[in-house]
Amino acid sequence: MTNIDHLRGGQPLNTARTVNHTKTATTNTPSTTTIEPQHDAVSLSSQGKAVGQIHQQLAAETSFDATKVAEIKQAIANGSYTIDADKLANNMIKFEDELNDL
């Protein structure tokens, strides 16, 4: 097993500590200390700002139109609901394009 004394290649290890204590004259007057407030800073990336804007837009909009949902349910129930395939495909493409812009 290696002896701990030989870890520094035979150089002696300086273990002396120096302590510097300075004394100042004290008076009987109270001291006042001004504490500066610390300020934190935050910086958002452009993507973070975009997410924040999207969040604000979504929070301002209603989640769904209950009347339209009821009408669609009724149309499905009575068999009169039709799907416009071209409109659906265009909306899907538009949605994908919006995702690519983020």
Side-chain angles (χ1 to χ4, degrees), residues 48-98:
K49 290 176 185 177
V51 169
Q53 290 174 347
I54 291 170
H55 176 71
Q56 288 176 349
Q57 291 172 354
L58 292 175
E61 296 177 5
T62 57
S63 59
F64 67 95
D65 184 358
T67 306
K68 187 172 182 178
V69 171
E71 290 173 359
I72 293 171
K73 282 184 177 182
Q74 182 63 33
I76 291 172
N78 66 22
S80 65
Y81 184 74
T82 57
I83 297 174
D84 184 354
D86 290 332
K87 183 177 177 182
L88 177 62
N90 287 333
N91 284 336
M92 291 172 66
I93 292 169
K94 180 181 172 186
F95 179 70
E96 290 291 325
D97 288 341
E98 289 175 357

